[in-house]
Amino acid sequence: MTHPNRQTRVALITGASTGLGETLAEFLSGLGWSVILTARTESDLAVVAKRLTDQGGTVVALPGDVGEAAHRERLIAAATTLGRLDWLVNNASQMGVSPIRPLLDHPLTSFEAVLRTNVVAPVALAQLALPLLKETGGLVVNLSSEAAVDVFPCAGIYGASKAALDQASRIIAAENADSGIGVTLVDPGGIRTRGYEEAEPGFDLTGVPYPDVTLPFWKWLIERSPGEVNGQRYLAQAGPWDAR
Ligand SMILES: NC(=O)c1ccc[n+]([C@@H]2O[C@H](COP(=O)([O-])OP(=O)(O)OC[C@H]3O[C@@H](n4cnc5c(N)ncnc54)[C@H](OP(=O)(O)O)[C@@H]3O)[C@@H](O)[C@H]2O)c1
């Protein structure tokens, strides 16, 4: 179903109050997309929402925890109100306790919270978003990490969660290959963000690029059809991406 007055593309971006999520929100909003943004800390989200709105963007900012079912339903309801959903970007992520520590020293409550944010919530949001994404031929973009595939001591909880997200994404991609939607994994590479700083306090991040280093990738991805990128995993800092 196409709404004649609802042609503006819509992205739902989780974890959009800072870091990569904020950069992607600003990029898509600048292209004229409407953006639905979420993060738990209302004040941080409000700063981003105000800036994008002042720049002329259409922004729906909904603070809350993607680990909570009621909040996820609110987010998808916002897309329904806007009339469509083109990209669901599962970017919100946690690494567990700060500083990161060995897996067997990690509190299990934190392990469960990381899995809820990094794995359960993206799958749950994709479940809820599926009907809207089918209408637009939309894309689910799940943010992965090198920690999903390589062994980084002290990043075990995070790495396990991202490995699970990788596999879940590939399976959803295969299961919906004929539905017109796409499911894509993106490893942004090391980027200088609050999350990185909190994971390893004191670690020298000089030389680590800011999230806008990934903009060429997003410019490329936005031009792809869902079928082209369905089930693929991209390294955002390592183009050209067609060859993968
Ligand atoms: N930074 C890197 O070097 C790097 C490398 C590889 C992959 N990645 C991936 O890239 C993505 C972005 O990373 P980043 O470094 O920009 O992240 P970040 O700085 O840690 O920001 C995380 C964002 O997610 C939000 N968030 C966390 N838990 C949430 C929850 N339960 N519900 C709603 N929002 C939540 C945070 O806000 P609140 O805390 O206020 O909720 C914040 O907006 C992540 O998926 C990360 O795993 C990053």
Side-chain angles (χ1 to χ4, degrees):
M1 181 175 59
T2 305
H3 301 275
N5 57 340
R6 292 175 179 172
Q7 295 300 315
T8 304
R9 291 204 270 181
V10 176
L12 163 54
I13 304 170
T14 70
S17 64
T18 185
L20 181 62
E22 177 182 2
T23 296
L24 185 54
E26 184 154 19
F27 169 63
L28 292 176
S29 180
L31 292 179
W33 291 42
S34 300
V35 290
I36 302 162
L37 310 180
T38 193
R40 292 166 301 175
T41 309
E42 186 168 4
S43 52
D44 291 349
L45 195 63
V47 170
V48 175
K50 181 174 186 320
R51 196 178 69 249
L52 301 192
T53 305
D54 288 349
Q55 291 168 2
T58 301
V59 181
V60 180
L62 295 172
D65 187 334
V66 293
E68 292 175 4
H71 183 55
R72 294 192 294 263
E73 281 164 16
R74 268 195 299 276
L75 294 171
I76 301 301
T80 302
T81 301
L82 288 173
R84 58 186 289 158
L85 182 63
D86 296 86
W87 276 18
L88 164 62
V89 184
N90 285 305
N91 168 80
S93 181
Q94 294 173 10
M95 293 197 72
V97 293
S98 171
I100 53 176
R101 64 191 60 174
L103 193 49
L104 298 186
D105 292 337
H106 209 111
L108 293 179
T109 49
S110 169
F111 191 10
E112 287 168 355
V114 169
L115 291 175
R116 202 159 43 245
T117 300
N118 297 10
V119 189
V120 177
V123 173
L125 279 168
Q127 286 181 347
L128 293 173
L130 186 61
L132 286 168
L133 292 171
K134 279 183 174 173
E135 284 183 14
T136 55
L139 194 63
V140 180
V141 181
N142 287 336
L143 271 299
S144 185
S145 167
E146 194 181 358
V149 287
D150 288 338
V151 173
F152 292 104
C154 294
I157 299 251
Y158 176 71
S161 74
K162 292 294 188 181
L165 180 63
D166 275 17
Q167 187 68 342
S169 303
R170 289 188 168 114
I171 289 170
I172 296 168
E175 289 171 344
N176 293 278
D178 299 325
S179 69
I181 74 157
V183 181
T184 301
L185 284 158
V186 180
D187 171 1
I191 42 175
R192 193 164 178 173
T193 63
R194 192 180 76 194
Y196 199 154
E197 283 163 10
E198 284 175 0
E200 300 186 73
F203 184 75
D204 182 8
L205 292 177
T206 309
V208 178
Y210 287 98
D212 58 5
V213 73
T214 63
L215 286 175
F217 171 75
W218 300 114
K219 287 175 186 161
W220 175 84
L221 185 64
I222 210 166
E223 298 298 332
R224 307 276 81 75
S225 69
E228 272 179 86
V229 298
N230 189 43
Q232 302 298 312
R233 187 178 192 282
Y234 296 103
L235 305 178
Q237 292 189 44
W241 301 283
D242 278 321
R244 283 161 213 291

